[in-house]
PDB file of all heavy atoms in Angstrom:
ATOM      1  N   GLU J 150     130.382  99.955  85.169  1.00  0.00           N
ATOM      2  CA  GLU J 150     130.746  99.974  83.753  1.00  0.00           C
ATOM      3  C   GLU J 150     129.468  99.907  82.944  1.00  0.00           C
ATOM      4  O   GLU J 150     128.608  99.073  83.178  1.00  0.00           O
ATOM      5  CB  GLU J 150     131.615  98.748  83.436  1.00  0.00           C
ATOM      6  CG  GLU J 150     132.948  98.741  84.157  1.00  0.00           C
ATOM      7  CD  GLU J 150     133.805  99.937  83.811  1.00  0.00           C
ATOM      8  OE1 GLU J 150     133.710 100.431  82.679  1.00  0.00           O
ATOM      9  OE2 GLU J 150     134.551 100.399  84.697  1.00  0.00           O
ATOM     10  N   THR J 153     127.465  97.628  76.533  1.00  0.00           N
ATOM     11  CA  THR J 153     127.097  98.032  75.171  1.00  0.00           C
ATOM     12  C   THR J 153     125.633  97.677  74.917  1.00  0.00           C
ATOM     13  O   THR J 153     125.022  98.203  74.002  1.00  0.00           O
ATOM     14  CB  THR J 153     127.975  97.328  74.131  1.00  0.00           C
ATOM     15  OG1 THR J 153     128.000  95.945  74.462  1.00  0.00           O
ATOM     16  CG2 THR J 153     129.370  97.896  74.132  1.00  0.00           C
ATOM     17  N   GLY J 164     126.943 112.216  89.510  1.00  0.00           N
ATOM     18  CA  GLY J 164     127.806 113.267  88.997  1.00  0.00           C
ATOM     19  C   GLY J 164     127.467 113.671  87.580  1.00  0.00           C
ATOM     20  O   GLY J 164     127.907 114.715  87.101  1.00  0.00           O
ATOM     21  N   PRO J 183     121.422 106.433  94.913  1.00  0.00           N
ATOM     22  CA  PRO J 183     121.513 105.164  94.178  1.00  0.00           C
ATOM     23  C   PRO J 183     122.843 105.036  93.446  1.00  0.00           C
ATOM     24  O   PRO J 183     123.533 106.034  93.218  1.00  0.00           O
ATOM     25  CB  PRO J 183     120.349 105.261  93.189  1.00  0.00           C
ATOM     26  CG  PRO J 183     120.161 106.724  92.973  1.00  0.00           C
ATOM     27  CD  PRO J 183     120.520 107.396  94.274  1.00  0.00           C
ATOM     28  N   ALA J 187     118.145 104.762  86.202  1.00  0.00           N
ATOM     29  CA  ALA J 187     117.721 104.375  84.861  1.00  0.00           C
ATOM     30  C   ALA J 187     116.417 105.077  84.538  1.00  0.00           C
ATOM     31  O   ALA J 187     115.533 105.176  85.390  1.00  0.00           O
ATOM     32  CB  ALA J 187     117.538 102.863  84.795  1.00  0.00           C
ATOM     33  N   GLU J 194     113.111  98.407  77.518  1.00  0.00           N
ATOM     34  CA  GLU J 194     114.255  99.031  78.204  1.00  0.00           C
ATOM     35  C   GLU J 194     114.207  98.753  79.708  1.00  0.00           C
ATOM     36  O   GLU J 194     115.241  98.609  80.350  1.00  0.00           O
ATOM     37  CB  GLU J 194     114.264 100.540  77.942  1.00  0.00           C
ATOM     38  CG  GLU J 194     114.708 100.886  76.531  1.00  0.00           C
ATOM     39  CD  GLU J 194     114.875 102.388  76.300  1.00  0.00           C
ATOM     40  OE1 GLU J 194     114.715 103.191  77.256  1.00  0.00           O
ATOM     41  OE2 GLU J 194     115.158 102.744  75.154  1.00  0.00           O
ATOM     42  N   ARG J 208     120.619  95.825  93.136  1.00  0.00           N
ATOM     43  CA  ARG J 208     119.177  95.673  93.291  1.00  0.00           C
ATOM     44  C   ARG J 208     118.474  96.769  92.481  1.00  0.00           C
ATOM     45  O   ARG J 208     119.114  97.696  91.985  1.00  0.00           O
ATOM     46  CB  ARG J 208     118.804  95.730  94.770  1.00  0.00           C
ATOM     47  CG  ARG J 208     119.487  94.608  95.562  1.00  0.00           C
ATOM     48  CD  ARG J 208     119.152  94.672  97.014  1.00  0.00           C
ATOM     49  NE  ARG J 208     117.808  94.161  97.250  1.00  0.00           N
ATOM     50  CZ  ARG J 208     117.140  94.352  98.387  1.00  0.00           C
ATOM     51  NH1 ARG J 208     117.685  95.046  99.365  1.00  0.00           N
ATOM     52  NH2 ARG J 208     115.938  93.857  98.552  1.00  0.00           N
ATOM     53  N   LEU J 221     112.548 103.940 101.637  1.00  0.00           N
ATOM     54  CA  LEU J 221     113.608 103.205 100.949  1.00  0.00           C
ATOM     55  C   LEU J 221     114.986 103.462 101.529  1.00  0.00           C
ATOM     56  O   LEU J 221     115.902 102.661 101.347  1.00  0.00           O
ATOM     57  CB  LEU J 221     113.624 103.602  99.468  1.00  0.00           C
ATOM     58  CG  LEU J 221     112.569 102.967  98.562  1.00  0.00           C
ATOM     59  CD1 LEU J 221     112.506 103.724  97.247  1.00  0.00           C
ATOM     60  CD2 LEU J 221     112.873 101.500  98.321  1.00  0.00           C
ATOM     61  N   SER J 246      87.213 101.825  81.121  1.00  0.00           N
ATOM     62  CA  SER J 246      88.512 101.226  81.439  1.00  0.00           C
ATOM     63  C   SER J 246      89.639 102.167  81.002  1.00  0.00           C
ATOM     64  O   SER J 246      89.535 102.847  79.990  1.00  0.00           O
ATOM     65  CB  SER J 246      88.608  99.884  80.702  1.00  0.00           C
ATOM     66  OG  SER J 246      89.890  99.337  80.860  1.00  0.00           O
ATOM     67  N   GLY J 266      82.662 112.221  81.706  1.00  0.00           N
ATOM     68  CA  GLY J 266      81.663 111.826  82.706  1.00  0.00           C
ATOM     69  C   GLY J 266      82.081 110.599  83.493  1.00  0.00           C
ATOM     70  O   GLY J 266      81.243 109.828  83.971  1.00  0.00           O
ATOM     71  N   LEU J 325     100.821  86.519  91.231  1.00  0.00           N
ATOM     72  CA  LEU J 325     101.512  87.799  91.113  1.00  0.00           C
ATOM     73  C   LEU J 325     100.484  88.928  91.087  1.00  0.00           C
ATOM     74  O   LEU J 325     100.674  89.976  91.729  1.00  0.00           O
ATOM     75  CB  LEU J 325     102.349  87.792  89.821  1.00  0.00           C
ATOM     76  CG  LEU J 325     103.184  89.034  89.525  1.00  0.00           C
ATOM     77  CD1 LEU J 325     104.199  89.294  90.636  1.00  0.00           C
ATOM     78  CD2 LEU J 325     103.907  88.881  88.176  1.00  0.00           C
ATOM     79  N   ALA J 356      84.118 122.736 100.289  1.00  0.00           N
ATOM     80  CA  ALA J 356      84.705 122.817 101.626  1.00  0.00           C
ATOM     81  C   ALA J 356      83.952 123.801 102.499  1.00  0.00           C
ATOM     82  O   ALA J 356      83.502 124.846 102.024  1.00  0.00           O
ATOM     83  CB  ALA J 356      86.166 123.236 101.517  1.00  0.00           C
ATOM     84  N   GLY J 377      75.992 108.246 110.838  1.00  0.00           N
ATOM     85  CA  GLY J 377      74.758 108.406 110.059  1.00  0.00           C
ATOM     86  C   GLY J 377      74.990 108.711 108.589  1.00  0.00           C
ATOM     87  O   GLY J 377      74.036 108.790 107.812  1.00  0.00           O
ATOM     88  N   VAL J 401      92.951 132.060 101.457  1.00  0.00           N
ATOM     89  CA  VAL J 401      93.468 131.242 102.563  1.00  0.00           C
ATOM     90  C   VAL J 401      94.953 131.507 102.852  1.00  0.00           C
ATOM     91  O   VAL J 401      95.475 131.027 103.860  1.00  0.00           O
ATOM     92  CB  VAL J 401      93.256 129.723 102.296  1.00  0.00           C
ATOM     93  CG1 VAL J 401      91.782 129.402 102.177  1.00  0.00           C
ATOM     94  CG2 VAL J 401      94.009 129.247 101.059  1.00  0.00           C
ATOM     95  N   MET J 450      93.492 120.655  98.495  1.00  0.00           N
ATOM     96  CA  MET J 450      94.507 121.712  98.594  1.00  0.00           C
ATOM     97  C   MET J 450      95.855 121.173  99.054  1.00  0.00           C
ATOM     98  O   MET J 450      96.583 121.810  99.811  1.00  0.00           O
ATOM     99  CB  MET J 450      94.020 122.855  99.507  1.00  0.00           C
ATOM    100  CG  MET J 450      92.768 123.522  98.984  1.00  0.00           C
ATOM    101  SD  MET J 450      91.934 124.594 100.179  1.00  0.00           S
ATOM    102  CE  MET J 450      91.091 123.405 101.226  1.00  0.00           C
ATOM    103  N   ARG J 478      94.265 121.013 121.108  1.00  0.00           N
ATOM    104  CA  ARG J 478      95.340 121.794 121.768  1.00  0.00           C
ATOM    105  C   ARG J 478      96.629 121.777 120.938  1.00  0.00           C
ATOM    106  O   ARG J 478      97.337 122.774 120.860  1.00  0.00           O
ATOM    107  CB  ARG J 478      95.616 121.222 123.165  1.00  0.00           C
ATOM    108  CG  ARG J 478      94.676 121.762 124.257  1.00  0.00           C
ATOM    109  CD  ARG J 478      95.160 121.385 125.645  1.00  0.00           C
ATOM    110  NE  ARG J 478      95.041 119.957 125.899  1.00  0.00           N
ATOM    111  CZ  ARG J 478      93.907 119.362 126.299  1.00  0.00           C
ATOM    112  NH1 ARG J 478      92.818 120.071 126.496  1.00  0.00           N
ATOM    113  NH2 ARG J 478      93.873 118.065 126.497  1.00  0.00           N
ATOM    114  N   ALA J 480      96.920 121.007 117.504  1.00  0.00           N
ATOM    115  CA  ALA J 480      96.829 121.388 116.084  1.00  0.00           C
ATOM    116  C   ALA J 480      96.265 122.783 115.861  1.00  0.00           C
ATOM    117  O   ALA J 480      96.232 123.262 114.736  1.00  0.00           O
ATOM    118  CB  ALA J 480      95.953 120.377 115.341  1.00  0.00           C
ATOM    119  N   PRO J 485     102.956 123.805 115.135  1.00  0.00           N
ATOM    120  CA  PRO J 485     104.013 123.565 114.152  1.00  0.00           C
ATOM    121  C   PRO J 485     103.578 122.582 113.054  1.00  0.00           C
ATOM    122  O   PRO J 485     104.345 122.334 112.134  1.00  0.00           O
ATOM    123  CB  PRO J 485     105.154 122.965 114.987  1.00  0.00           C
ATOM    124  CG  PRO J 485     104.492 122.352 116.163  1.00  0.00           C
ATOM    125  CD  PRO J 485     103.228 123.146 116.434  1.00  0.00           C
ATOM    126  N   ARG J 500      84.541  96.054 103.074  1.00  0.00           N
ATOM    127  CA  ARG J 500      83.992  94.856 102.423  1.00  0.00           C
ATOM    128  C   ARG J 500      85.006  94.277 101.445  1.00  0.00           C
ATOM    129  O   ARG J 500      85.428  94.966 100.513  1.00  0.00           O
ATOM    130  CB  ARG J 500      82.732  95.207 101.624  1.00  0.00           C
ATOM    131  CG  ARG J 500      81.503  95.463 102.451  1.00  0.00           C
ATOM    132  CD  ARG J 500      80.272  95.496 101.554  1.00  0.00           C
ATOM    133  NE  ARG J 500      80.331  96.532 100.542  1.00  0.00           N
ATOM    134  CZ  ARG J 500      79.938  97.802 100.725  1.00  0.00           C
ATOM    135  NH1 ARG J 500      79.471  98.165 101.903  1.00  0.00           N
ATOM    136  NH2 ARG J 500      80.012  98.676  99.752  1.00  0.00           N
ATOM    137  N   VAL J 532     108.249 119.973 115.687  1.00  0.00           N
ATOM    138  CA  VAL J 532     107.382 119.191 114.797  1.00  0.00           C
ATOM    139  C   VAL J 532     107.261 117.763 115.323  1.00  0.00           C
ATOM    140  O   VAL J 532     106.164 117.203 115.420  1.00  0.00           O
ATOM    141  CB  VAL J 532     107.942 119.212 113.349  1.00  0.00           C
ATOM    142  CG1 VAL J 532     107.277 118.143 112.485  1.00  0.00           C
ATOM    143  CG2 VAL J 532     107.732 120.590 112.732  1.00  0.00           C
ATOM    144  N   GLY J 538     102.504 114.009 119.903  1.00  0.00           N
ATOM    145  CA  GLY J 538     101.319 114.340 120.696  1.00  0.00           C
ATOM    146  C   GLY J 538     100.037 113.876 120.021  1.00  0.00           C
ATOM    147  O   GLY J 538      99.147 113.309 120.675  1.00  0.00           O
ATOM    148  N   ALA J 540      99.841 111.436 117.817  1.00  0.00           N
ATOM    149  CA  ALA J 540      99.864 109.966 117.850  1.00  0.00           C
ATOM    150  C   ALA J 540      99.448 109.458 119.224  1.00  0.00           C
ATOM    151  O   ALA J 540      98.658 108.506 119.346  1.00  0.00           O
ATOM    152  CB  ALA J 540     101.257 109.457 117.485  1.00  0.00           C
ATOM    153  N   ASP J 566      97.754  90.752 107.912  1.00  0.00           N
ATOM    154  CA  ASP J 566      97.574  89.655 108.867  1.00  0.00           C
ATOM    155  C   ASP J 566      98.570  88.540 108.506  1.00  0.00           C
ATOM    156  O   ASP J 566      99.159  88.536 107.412  1.00  0.00           O
ATOM    157  CB  ASP J 566      96.116  89.180 108.903  1.00  0.00           C
ATOM    158  CG  ASP J 566      95.631  88.661 107.559  1.00  0.00           C
ATOM    159  OD1 ASP J 566      96.448  88.097 106.801  1.00  0.00           O
ATOM    160  OD2 ASP J 566      94.434  88.820 107.253  1.00  0.00           O
ATOM    161  N   VAL J 576     104.893  84.413  97.277  1.00  0.00           N
ATOM    162  CA  VAL J 576     104.842  84.930  95.899  1.00  0.00           C
ATOM    163  C   VAL J 576     106.164  85.615  95.564  1.00  0.00           C
ATOM    164  O   VAL J 576     106.725  85.440  94.477  1.00  0.00           O
ATOM    165  CB  VAL J 576     103.652  85.913  95.724  1.00  0.00           C
ATOM    166  CG1 VAL J 576     103.667  86.508  94.319  1.00  0.00           C
ATOM    167  CG2 VAL J 576     102.329  85.205  95.996  1.00  0.00           C
TER     168      VAL J 576
END
Side-chain angles (χ1 to χ4, degrees):
E150 296 300 328
T153 48
E194 286 186 4
R208 300 179 77 195
L221 281 166
S246 174
L325 182 60
V401 298
M450 299 166 282
R478 275 191 291 277
R500 286 192 300 274
V532 166
D566 60 32
V576 176

